[in-house]
Each structure stands twice: as C-alpha cells, then as structure tokens.
Amino acid sequence: MKSGKPEGTALRVVCIAEEPIEQVPYIAAAPGSKGIFYEWLPIYWGEMLGLPDGVEALIVTSDLQGIAGHEFYGGRDNKLVGEELPETLDLLLRCSLPDVNPARVIVLLCGDLYADPFKRGSSGDPLPVWKAFHRHFGTVVGVAGNHDLFTGEGIAELEAAQGIDFYSEPKIAVHGGMIVAGLGGVTGRAGKPNRMAEADYLGFLQKLLRKGPHVLMLHQGPDVPAAGLPGHAGTREALEAAPPLLVCCGHVHWEQSLAELENGTQVLNADGRVLVFTAASLD
C-alpha cells in the first residue's frame, strides 16, 4: 500500500515536552505474575521537521502491555489499553489542535500491544488495538513485537483494510510522502514467535537501510552506550554505518524518549509511552 510521493526531506525531532499532556490509566501484571499493579501511560506532544504537507500529525507508540482503566474485576474480557487509547488521542487532538484532520494523521505502532493481567510478558493477539487506531486515524502502519501473535485471519483482515499497512515481513513503503521501512520481532532462538537469528536480522536491517528510508520502525532498538541506554549493539552498529535517519522502536524501556547516535541518527524509544508530533515552525 502506497500513498503520496516521497518528498526527500529527512525527519528530525526538534522537541518533546518534558511533561505529559495526559496520562491514561491501565493495569498490568506485577513482576513474577504475582498480582496486578496500577500504571499510567503518558502522552507527550512534540515537534518535528520534515513532516510532508499531507501529514498533519505523526503518532508513535510501542509496548502498550496493559488493561485499560483502574477498575478490574478479575475477568478476561477487559479492553486492552491500546484499544481505548485512540479515542483519547482523537479527543486530545480535537481539543488542543482542532485544525488537525484525523484522516491526515499517521500512526506508527512498534509492537507488543497485547497484555494479560494474570501473566507478565504474555503473548496474544493485538488485532483489536490496530482496529481501534484505524477507526480514528487515516493511516496505521506498524510491525510486530515479540509478544504479538496474529492469527492468519487477523493478518488477512489487516491486509484487506484501506489505510492499514502491517509489515509482516521486512519491507519499505511510502505513506503520506514518507519512505517508511519496517522490521519487526527481535533476535533470538529460532522456533519462538517473531524471533530470528542475529545474522538474518542484521542482514534484513542493512538491506532496508540501503534503500534510504526517512523513518525506520523496529521493535528491538539499538543501545546507546554513551548515554547508558540499553538495546541491541548490532542494530546500533548497522545504523551508525548508514546515513542518518529517524528510528522508532520499543522493547526495552528508557527513562528518556529520544537519543542520538554518533552519525546523527535519532532514536525514538516509545516503550510504554505515546509521542504525538506536529510540524515544527521554521521561524
């Protein structure tokens, strides 16, 4: 699925607000799956250079591993926090940025959108989250995390939907004038879902980088040793050997949401947070 013409302008984050504009309540399984704990999903405004004219806002999020709300009755029919999040984002945009047309908003989902409040680190079907974002925004693009287990029917539904592009395989496509590359899953032992040998993973990554994307969606992001931020060293080395771009990822949590590699590549870590970007002023 392609739309628009690449404008050739690099995407670059100018600023991200220090404090969230809103926080969404959710419940998650406690460490060791011993009970539950109550959390808040923060939503931050930001500004970015290079957004094409046809993109009025860019939303980036990852690792929405929780159950919506702080009222929990022990059942398994609760909504995922990612199912209720799009409505909250839609309302925030309508109230704070009423000129933004939801149909001209692109959402980047970087994986791990399922949660089981009874089991920490559980895997399951994130399809309801994708469908919820699609109901509110014009274009939804993303990759799978290592805990996302789509059914064949679910993948077929996503592939048939106008305005959705699930990168079930490493690929590159154009959305709203942006060249968007994507590589889901993580490195790891073969035979487990959404895992591949490190050599294969890095081979796919290097092929995507050679095509010169504006933005790269990953689930597993790079480490940044200079800032003490955890991640995958091989991914960082591949990124630093390529021209600078914008990388969006999750999988491991950083206290900060933005870091820069030695070659100027910016890394947005959206693990457990939501980042909403509009075009920065050139003044």
Side-chain angles (χ1 to χ4, degrees), residues 33-162:
S33 301
K34 298 178 180 179
I36 60 174
F37 67 98
Y38 300 89
E39 277 285 359
W40 298 88
L41 175 69
I43 301 171
Y44 297 92
W45 290 138
E47 293 186 352
M48 184 179 289
L49 291 173
L51 281 178
D53 291 340
V55 180
E56 296 185 7
L58 181 69
I59 297 173
V60 185
T61 190
S62 184
D63 297 82
L64 305 177
Q65 294 169 292
I67 299 300
H70 277 174
E71 295 181 0
F72 181 65
Y73 302 105
R76 293 182 179 270
D77 57 350
N78 302 276
K79 282 189 175 182
L80 297 167
V81 66
E83 288 183 78
E84 293 201 351
L85 174 62
E87 182 176 0
T88 299
L89 291 171
D90 194 359
L91 289 171
L92 281 174
L93 285 170
R94 291 179 188 276
C95 292
S96 300
L97 299 169
D99 293 335
V100 170
N101 180 356
R104 295 163 72 92
V105 173
I106 293 181
V107 180
L108 302 183
L109 301 176
C110 295
D112 278 0
L113 309 179
Y114 176 81
D116 182 339
F118 299 98
K119 183 180 179 182
R120 190 171 179 85
S122 57
S123 298
D125 190 356
L127 181 64
V129 177
W130 280 76
K131 293 170 67 174
F133 272 100
H134 188 226
R135 284 194 294 271
H136 289 275
F137 301 110
T139 304
V140 183
V141 186
V143 298
N146 53 303
H147 292 296
D148 292 328
L149 299 180
F150 288 93
T151 65
E153 294 80 3
I155 291 176
E157 184 174 347
L158 293 179
E159 290 177 344
Q162 185 70 26

